[in-house]
Amino acid sequence: MTRRAAAPLALGLAAALSTGHALADNPAEVFELPAVTVIGTTPLPGLGTAPRDVPANVQIFGSRELSRQRPRDLTEFLDRNANSIGVASGQGNPYQQDLNFRGFAASPLLGTPQGISVFQDGVRINEAFGDVVNWDLLPSSAISSVQLIPGSNPVFGLNTLGGALAIYTKSGAQYPGASIELSAGAFGRKSAEFEYGGNRDRIDYFVTGNFAEDSGWADHNPSRVKQLFGKIGYQDDRTDLDLSATLADNTLQGTQTLPQAWLDTREQAYTFPDTNRNRLAFVAAKGSRFLSPVALLGGSLYYRHFRNTNVSSNVNAAFGEPDPATGQIQTNEATNDRSGIDQRSWGLGLQLTLQGELAGRSHQLVIGASGDFGDTRFDQQSQPASFTPERNTIATGDFAPTTDVGTRNRYVGVFAADTLALDERWTLTLAGRYNRARVDVGDRSGRDSRLDSRSTFARFNPAIGLNYNPVPDFTGYAAYNEGMRAPSPVELTCANAAAPCKLPNIFLSDPPLKQVVSRTVELGARGTLGPAAPWSAALYRTDLDNDIQFIAAGEGALNAGFFQNVGKTRRQGIELAASRRFGELSASIRYSHIDARFRSPFTAASPNNSTADDTGAIAVGFGNRIPGIPADTLKLRLDLDLDARWSVGASAIYASSQYAHGDENNRDRHGRIPAYTVVNLDVRFQASAELQLFATVANLFDRRYANFGLLGANAFTGPNRTFGPAVGVDPVAEQFRALGAPRGFWVGLRYAFDARKLPIER
């Protein structure tokens, strides 16, 4: 049997690529190409690994799919196209959706236990404060490719419990030319987008921006989005350097969830206003250099300044009760809670890739280290208010400070990964990473030194994988890997069942939480039935120790609760995908089944659950399903080129029912959030080489559906849905739902000023 010969890195990678454009002079730049078939198995700049040697069901999407479907943002695109992906609209704004993958979340909402690590050009963009992911900060026009890497891959560091999402941005060398895109349509939405890229000698440059605003499909949820991304690079046959900047200034309003009894008027708001303003200045440098034909050194450096201002209208759950500070009866029906996050984070990483022979076998060894650091100031004020008949909050007093804290994150790690060709058919992958995380919290108000704390978490996480390639069009694999997540500052300071917090949180001195440890086993296969018919299948199981859940505990405030270690949980499932081209028709289908359950009994506070005892507690048993995770999803995509100019595409998404948050024991009388099916349509007409006209329709059949739910107390039980306790009516326990948008229609045009350089995205 002939063993695979070791080759220089540049030649080996070039052989693994299949693109619609010329290959980059320096193969370290491959992830900026319009289409790639290598996998980024580490977050830092490197060469990646051929798919035949990756022991995971990695999903790859390129700019061609994004430009054809024109999604609003990346979460919408992945929801329509990726296995085991779902979204939840609990924030009530389309740019602030939770992304769920294999039962793990990457969410912009403080308080959502995060389980997905997200990278932009090798930089971890989970925010230092809360590990949240703000999807509204990067324009989709900047994205060259996206790779969704499943499992607890330790090389990607902290928070990689269920997987890692790697986003690679465009460069002027691979996307030359200029274009402008304009669109408008339903809900008052209008947007303008531009791209400009090119290269001169060894310097390339790329810039893209997006401005969008709409009034929202519901009352009181407009959005204004301003995003800008730019990159300048230098490249020769040994060196690849890039300096990029991402800027954003977005104002997003939400409508919260609605009580089930109000679904007949789904456009109204429960209370308002609720506003988030996100501002970002993010600068990153990455580079790589071949030290020899078989040694590549890569590194990255970044600085990120993120600011958030939040104003939330909330029901005063303590209305009619004595104020703990004054002893006077509280007569304000509502509170306006205002908070601010001022976060500065920075980091660096270094990685060495070596290719050679070990015991006569070719292998690729990667060793590296990284550090991510963050300083955050969080402050919060509360203001007494009353409700108008429309449930708008009107201030009745001044803002008073409730929280002023500073947090510091210090995350460091060292890692190694080796891909060893045992022979022509078998490949062994070994990897491991040591993580150390320190989280400091300090009181800045001078009023409560109990807030001062320091927590340290450390662990070594291993991984092993084996690939079998008996023929070129078939790969089988098996893998085992481990990961960890350190509790965030938000979780560490809101872990007391006796003192639930609001989100954004009121910080307290609480019992410590334990770090979460994940262990994933995956078996799978992939291949092709001819050049136009790829397929994949995977079975996986992820077990978590000391899983952290947010336990809803508020009688009147829907966002009140606390964090709790709930012992063991398990997420397991199957992923099936296939696609085929039939002449001018392309079709793809993806099915996912996720079985997510608690594996340890515990007691949770859920006073609005119909089975709660006199203290508001429920007993969660072994085998109860984890809320918020549909068991089954099915996605179908069809693309038809009618002729040289016309093309049409359609996407259908089915998601099965799910339990509401607060129903962790699966016994609440309101039952599950119902299953739903949504169909979307997109049409393109290439009027000339320069001009393309397009139209999109979301929710083609105007289905009414919800993709998120939680149990809460409806305080507006008075006449015409006015504040009930003020007229002697008690709040009513209900299931609250986040509703999907109704049918929307948009039209637009794209004009390419240099049609010779900008390929037509049909």
Side-chain angles (χ1 to χ4, degrees), residues 212-223:
E213 64 177 18
D214 65 56
S215 55
W217 69 269
D219 298 335
H220 314 295
N221 77 322
S223 304

Side-chain angles (χ1 to χ4, degrees), residues 57 59 61 78 81-86 100-102 148 536 574-578 589-594 633 635:
N57 187 28
Q59 301 176 67
F61 304 96
L78 293 174
N81 294 277
N83 263 121
S84 298
I85 285 278
N100 296 291
F101 174 57
R102 289 189 174 183
L148 186 56
S536 64
I574 183 172
E575 296 170 345
L576 303 173
I589 186 169
R590 298 175 185 267
Y591 169 75
S592 307
H593 175 75
I594 303 174
T633 58
K635 302 177 182 182

Side-chain angles (χ1 to χ4, degrees), residues 219-270:
D219 298 335
H220 314 295
N221 77 322
S223 304
R224 186 190 65 190
V225 174
K226 294 185 287 186
Q227 306 160 323
L228 182 69
F229 173 82
K231 180 193 286 186
I232 185 169
Y234 169 84
Q235 183 189 105
D236 60 26
D237 58 350
R238 297 182 61 189
T239 304
D240 179 39
L241 300 173
D242 288 309
L243 177 66
S244 65
T246 307
L247 304 174
D249 186 354
N250 305 331
T251 302
L252 312 172
Q253 294 191 36
T255 56
Q256 306 175 344
T257 53
L258 282 182
Q260 191 172 351
W262 293 17
L263 299 186
D264 57 331
T265 52
R266 56 179 176 168
E267 290 82 8
Q268 65 185 301
Y270 184 67

Side-chain angles (χ1 to χ4, degrees), residues 679-747:
V679 176
N680 307 290
L681 186 69
D682 50 89
V683 180
R684 293 157 301 284
F685 174 67
Q686 199 68 43
S688 67
E690 297 84 7
L691 178 63
Q692 183 184 93
L693 307 177
F694 60 87
T696 60
V697 184
N699 194 359
L700 178 64
F701 299 108
D702 200 23
R703 297 296 301 271
R704 295 197 172 201
Y705 68 99
N707 57 22
F708 174 85
L710 76 164
L711 302 182
N714 180 6
F716 299 99
T717 52
N720 299 315
R721 296 173 179 172
T722 54
F723 186 67
V727 293
V729 181
D730 290 331
V732 175
E734 289 195 49
Q735 185 185 89
F736 286 65
R737 295 180 181 178
L739 305 180
R743 180 170 50 228
F745 179 80
W746 297 271
V747 296

Side-chain angles (χ1 to χ4, degrees), residues 415-643:
F415 61 89
D418 195 2
T419 302
L420 176 65
L422 301 178
D423 60 24
E424 288 287 348
R425 296 179 298 176
W426 293 91
T427 302
L428 176 67
T429 301
L430 298 171
R433 181 180 178 116
Y434 175 78
N435 290 314
R436 187 177 187 274
R438 195 185 80 191
V439 180
D440 298 340
V441 179
D443 174 50
R444 296 176 59 96
S445 68
R447 297 188 300 269
D448 192 353
S449 61
R450 295 177 302 166
L451 284 173
D452 299 338
S453 66
R454 172 172 294 180
S455 303
T456 302
F457 308 90
R459 192 176 192 272
F460 175 79
N461 300 296
I464 184 172
L466 187 65
N467 286 60
Y468 177 57
N469 299 277
V471 292
D473 56 1
F474 177 85
T475 296
Y477 64 87
Y480 172 80
N481 42 61
E482 297 183 6
M484 66 169 284
R485 180 169 81 84
S488 71
V490 174
E491 294 166 332
L492 288 168
T493 53
C494 184
N496 191 343
C501 311
K502 290 183 181 180
L503 297 174
N505 288 63
I506 297 174
F507 281 72
L508 304 167
S509 178
D510 287 335
L513 294 172
K514 300 176 182 178
Q515 67 183 2
V516 183
V517 176
S518 62
R519 297 175 176 86
T520 298
V521 176
E522 182 171 337
L523 302 172
R526 56 179 170 264
T528 58
L529 300 174
W535 61 271
S536 64
L539 283 167
Y540 66 89
R541 172 180 289 177
T542 299
D543 288 322
L544 267 60
D545 289 335
N546 303 317
D547 196 1
I548 296 174
Q549 294 284 315
F550 180 73
I551 307 299
E555 286 284 359
L558 294 177
N559 59 347
F562 62 95
F563 296 95
Q564 176 180 333
N565 285 119
V566 297
K568 298 180 181 295
T569 62
R570 171 176 291 172
R571 296 152 179 86
Q572 61 185 359
I574 183 172
E575 296 170 345
L576 303 173
S579 62
R580 179 71 184 268
R581 187 167 185 88
F582 305 89
E584 300 303 316
L585 175 66
S586 296
S588 65
I589 186 169
R590 298 175 185 267
Y591 169 75
S592 307
H593 175 75
I594 303 174
D595 183 32
R597 297 179 185 268
F598 297 105
R599 303 279 294 176
S600 297
F602 64 97
T603 299
S606 184
N608 299 302
N609 190 307
S610 60
T611 63
D613 62 20
D614 293 340
T615 66
I618 60 173
V620 182
F622 179 94
N624 286 144
R625 289 188 177 272
I626 300 174
I629 303 173
D632 298 285
T633 58
L634 181 66
K635 302 177 182 182
L636 176 66
R637 174 71 189 180
L638 299 174
D639 284 292
L640 177 63
D641 296 328
L642 299 173
D643 57 28

Side-chain angles (χ1 to χ4, degrees), residues 172-515:
Q174 307 305 329
Y175 291 84
S179 69
I180 186 169
E181 184 172 303
L182 304 173
S183 66
F187 319 134
R189 185 188 303 173
K190 48 186 178 292
S191 66
E193 180 182 285
F194 74 91
E195 292 183 43
Y196 179 66
N199 62 295
R200 183 170 299 176
D201 297 326
R202 298 190 179 279
I203 305 296
D204 62 83
Y205 46 88
F206 179 83
V207 63
T208 183
N210 176 54
F211 174 81
E213 64 177 18
D214 65 56
S215 55
W217 69 269
D219 298 335
H220 314 295
N221 77 322
S223 304
R224 186 190 65 190
V225 174
K226 294 185 287 186
Q227 306 160 323
L228 182 69
F229 173 82
K231 180 193 286 186
I232 185 169
Y234 169 84
Q235 183 189 105
D236 60 26
D237 58 350
R238 297 182 61 189
T239 304
D240 179 39
L241 300 173
D242 288 309
L243 177 66
S244 65
T246 307
L247 304 174
D249 186 354
N250 305 331
T251 302
L252 312 172
Q253 294 191 36
T255 56
Q256 306 175 344
T257 53
L258 282 182
Q260 191 172 351
W262 293 17
L263 299 186
D264 57 331
T265 52
R266 56 179 176 168
E267 290 82 8
Q268 65 185 301
Y270 184 67
T271 66
F272 66 96
D274 293 279
T275 305
N276 265 301
R277 184 180 182 190
N278 290 333
R279 288 166 287 175
L280 174 71
F282 173 32
V283 179
K286 70 179 180 72
S288 60
R289 181 172 175 82
F290 282 98
L291 305 179
S292 74
V294 293
L296 176 70
L297 183 67
S300 65
L301 183 70
Y302 73 92
Y303 175 80
R304 186 178 179 93
H305 186 193
F306 170 70
R307 289 171 293 169
N308 168 267
T309 303
N310 173 274
V311 177
S312 299
S313 57
N314 292 307
V315 173
N316 180 14
F319 175 81
E321 298 178 3
D323 188 314
T326 65
Q328 297 180 350
I329 298 298
Q330 299 184 50
T331 59
N332 56 297
E333 304 166 338
T335 61
N336 289 322
D337 296 306
R338 183 175 66 188
S339 64
I341 297 171
D342 191 344
Q343 171 194 289
R344 289 171 171 84
S345 56
W346 61 96
L348 72 167
L350 197 64
Q351 174 179 293
L352 179 64
T353 304
L354 300 169
Q355 190 178 52
E357 290 197 357
L358 179 65
R361 307 294 183 186
S362 63
H363 76 116
Q364 180 171 292
L365 173 66
V366 179
I367 55 176
S370 65
D372 297 280
F373 313 97
D375 289 346
T376 305
R377 179 174 181 175
F378 175 87
D379 63 90
Q380 188 176 51
Q381 304 89 38
S382 186
Q383 177 188 60
S386 61
F387 287 112
T388 68
E390 295 76 26
R391 298 178 301 282
N392 182 16
T393 54
I394 303 298
T396 58
D398 297 327
F399 277 103
T402 57
T403 305
D404 190 356
V405 298
T407 68
R408 302 179 67 189
N409 305 65
R410 301 293 183 261
Y411 301 154
V412 294
V414 293
F415 61 89
D418 195 2
T419 302
L420 176 65
L422 301 178
D423 60 24
E424 288 287 348
R425 296 179 298 176
W426 293 91
T427 302
L428 176 67
T429 301
L430 298 171
R433 181 180 178 116
Y434 175 78
N435 290 314
R436 187 177 187 274
R438 195 185 80 191
V439 180
D440 298 340
V441 179
D443 174 50
R444 296 176 59 96
S445 68
R447 297 188 300 269
D448 192 353
S449 61
R450 295 177 302 166
L451 284 173
D452 299 338
S453 66
R454 172 172 294 180
S455 303
T456 302
F457 308 90
R459 192 176 192 272
F460 175 79
N461 300 296
I464 184 172
L466 187 65
N467 286 60
Y468 177 57
N469 299 277
V471 292
D473 56 1
F474 177 85
T475 296
Y477 64 87
Y480 172 80
N481 42 61
E482 297 183 6
M484 66 169 284
R485 180 169 81 84
S488 71
V490 174
E491 294 166 332
L492 288 168
T493 53
C494 184
N496 191 343
C501 311
K502 290 183 181 180
L503 297 174
N505 288 63
I506 297 174
F507 281 72
L508 304 167
S509 178
D510 287 335
L513 294 172
K514 300 176 182 178
Q515 67 183 2

